[in-house]
Amino acid sequence: MIASTNPPLPDQSHDFSAAASELRMATFRLARRLRAQRAVDSMSDGQFAVLAALTVHGAHTLGQLAERERVTAPSMNRTVSLLEEAGYISRIPDEVDRRRVTIDLTDFGRRIVDETVRRRDAFLEEALAELSPEERDALARATVIMRKVADR
């Protein structure tokens, strides 16, 4: 029998576990810092997520919003009611079926989303400016990989 001259492989499951933990903690910490950059301090993350969904995907019914945000319809109804009271969204009755209501952003709601996105981008631009070109390149490559992981 011929002895192997290659060193034994390290236990990769431990390496993946530690890397996964570090990535999770860094991602959550950055996400927390970004969430703090908002135009309205009293708005919850869930409320802003509804405004962002309407910005990106257009008007929705209450059921569609609840499904998109993975919450119950009653929970989404409470969120929508608060956003409507604040003037961020409006409920538009369907012209054919009056029981059906479409939820859409008001101009004020759109401005809040735009300002929050501007603040979050400015936070990241400032942070990126403090990094070396090599670090910025590494983050650009990591962005592609993180999207791949997120899209699984």
Side-chain angles (χ1 to χ4, degrees):
M1 178 150 85
I2 301 174
S4 172
T5 58
N6 295 332
L9 294 175
D11 179 10
Q12 289 185 338
S13 65
H14 176 70
D15 293 343
F16 287 149
S17 178
S21 184
E22 287 294 320
L23 178 60
R24 176 185 48 78
M25 289 188 299
T27 301
F28 280 143
R29 187 165 182 216
L30 179 57
R32 192 175 322 117
R33 296 288 305 273
L34 285 171
R35 282 193 309 268
Q37 309 301 315
R38 59 178 116 200
V40 179
D41 288 335
S42 61
M43 185 177 292
S44 73
D45 293 336
Q47 290 169 338
F48 184 77
V50 169
L51 297 184
L54 292 171
T55 299
V56 172
H57 303 287
H60 281 59
T61 65
L62 186 71
Q64 290 169 329
L65 273 175
E67 185 177 321
R68 176 171 295 285
E69 296 303 312
R70 296 186 170 131
V71 298
T72 64
S75 176
M76 182 55 69
N77 191 46
R78 283 189 298 277
T79 299
V80 165
S81 292
L82 289 169
L83 292 170
E84 184 180 31
E85 287 172 21
Y88 302 128
I89 62 170
S90 60
R91 296 181 199 234
I92 305 157
D94 189 290
E95 292 186 16
V96 176
D97 182 353
R98 291 300 208 185
R99 295 169 298 173
R100 185 181 167 120
V101 175
T102 302
I103 298 156
D104 204 358
L105 285 171
T106 62
D107 288 340
F108 182 48
R110 192 166 278 105
R111 285 195 305 271
I112 293 301
V113 171
D114 290 346
E115 176 60 17
T116 298
V117 168
R118 187 200 65 73
R119 288 179 184 203
R120 289 175 177 178
D121 285 350
F123 172 84
L124 282 174
E125 287 170 18
E126 185 178 311
L128 290 172
E130 296 173 3
L131 300 177
S132 71
E134 294 79 16
E135 289 171 320
R136 286 192 295 274
D137 287 344
L139 281 177
R141 289 189 309 277
T143 299
V144 173
I145 297 165
M146 289 178 75
R147 276 189 197 272
K148 183 177 177 180
V149 171
D151 290 344
R152 293 185 51 227

